[in-house]
Amino acid sequence: MIGNEDSFISHLIELRSRLMKAAIAVIVIFLCLMPWAGNIYDYLALPMMQSLPQGSKMIAIGVITPFLIPVKVTMLVAFIIALPWVLYQMWAFVAPGLYSHEKKLIAPLVISSSVLFIAGVAFCYFLVFGVIFHFINNFAPHSISVAPDIDSYFSFVMTMFVAFGLTFEVPIVVIVLVRMGLVSVEKLKQIRPYVIVGAFVVAAVVTPPDVMSQMLLAVPLCLLYEVGLLLAPMFVKITQAPAESESV
């Protein structure tokens, strides 16, 4: 019992250390970006501003909102920049419980997870936002003056970024599930119809109620699931070889 308690405490200390390292990296990047917080928010708001009538601007209802929202946006950008380091700390925490050949997978997983998440955010910003905002503003009656609140805009952007960032992580999830032996490639192929239905249900919940926006989330999710199914067997073959050699 004493040994188990010591092991548990040591794991908690290690977890705290990893979390502190990740948080420090985000905070340092955030402080470096703070002088340009206003410019960063202007860039984030660019897709919406391009869809609004010429001369329109967003509004800030709260007293401290003009300061608080750019700070939040800057923190989000700092987290995205520090994402590879944050993911590395997560994988490094679980590394002691892995085999030697499994530890070699940490770097590829960290890099691929970071790249895919950022790719999902970029896809949402450069393509999806233009479609969504153009549809919403064109659908609005002429008797309405469209002037989005920056707080509501930030909440919407965050939801969309997380949705598309996680969507682009689907191949990694598929590979990890297969590699850990939690599910086989054959089983994942069998549940493909349910995944497709689930993708469109998630898209209908997350995105605005226009067909184009839903398709822009559901179709990439389905395609990335297929990419995961294609890569998973190759990944298993590569990673099973060291395990067999160790058993010999």
Side-chain angles (χ1 to χ4, degrees), residues 10-225:
S10 65
H11 279 82
L12 287 180
I13 294 174
E14 174 70 12
L15 177 61
R16 184 186 65 178
S17 174
R18 296 294 178 184
L19 291 176
M20 287 294 296
K21 291 178 180 178
I24 289 173
V26 174
I27 292 173
V28 169
I29 297 174
F30 168 74
L31 293 176
C32 293
L33 294 176
M34 265 304 293
W36 298 276
N39 295 332
I40 293 173
Y41 180 82
D42 288 340
Y43 189 75
L44 180 69
L46 188 59
M48 172 61 79
M49 298 305 298
Q50 290 176 340
S51 300
L52 293 176
Q54 189 173 5
S56 299
K57 291 185 178 181
M58 294 186 181
I59 62 173
I61 299 176
V63 176
I64 63 172
T65 303
F67 167 78
L68 189 60
I69 297 302
V71 170
K72 290 182 178 180
V73 172
T74 305
M75 179 62 75
L76 171 64
V77 174
F79 175 78
I80 292 176
I81 294 175
L83 186 60
W85 177 251
V86 173
L87 292 177
Y88 171 76
Q89 296 301 323
M90 293 173 56
W91 285 110
F93 175 70
V94 302
L98 303 177
Y99 293 107
S100 58
H101 65 276
E102 292 175 330
K103 293 180 181 179
K104 297 178 181 178
L105 303 177
I106 292 178
L109 285 174
V110 168
I111 295 173
S112 58
S113 298
S114 303
V115 170
L116 287 174
F117 188 88
I118 295 173
V121 172
F123 178 81
C124 180
Y125 178 84
F126 290 105
L127 179 62
V128 178
F129 281 170
V131 175
I132 292 176
F133 299 148
H134 182 74
F135 168 80
I136 293 175
N137 292 319
N138 285 343
F139 187 80
H142 294 291
S143 58
I144 296 176
S145 177
V146 181
D149 174 50
I150 61 174
D151 193 6
S152 300
Y153 178 75
F154 175 74
S155 299
F156 175 79
V157 166
M158 280 289 296
T159 301
M160 295 294 289
F161 278 170
V162 171
F164 278 86
L166 294 179
T167 294
F168 274 63
E169 297 288 339
V170 168
I172 302 297
V173 174
V174 172
I175 291 173
V176 170
L177 289 176
V178 173
R179 173 62 190 93
M180 295 178 65
L182 298 177
V183 63
S184 64
V185 177
E186 291 72 20
K187 183 64 176 179
L188 290 174
K189 291 181 179 179
Q190 291 176 4
I191 64 173
R192 181 187 285 117
Y194 302 99
V195 173
I196 295 174
V197 173
F200 280 90
V201 170
V202 171
V205 173
V206 175
T207 62
D210 64 290
V211 177
M212 183 60 69
S213 301
Q214 296 173 11
M215 293 289 290
L216 288 173
L217 179 60
V219 172
L221 197 156
C222 296
L223 293 178
L224 290 166
Y225 184 78

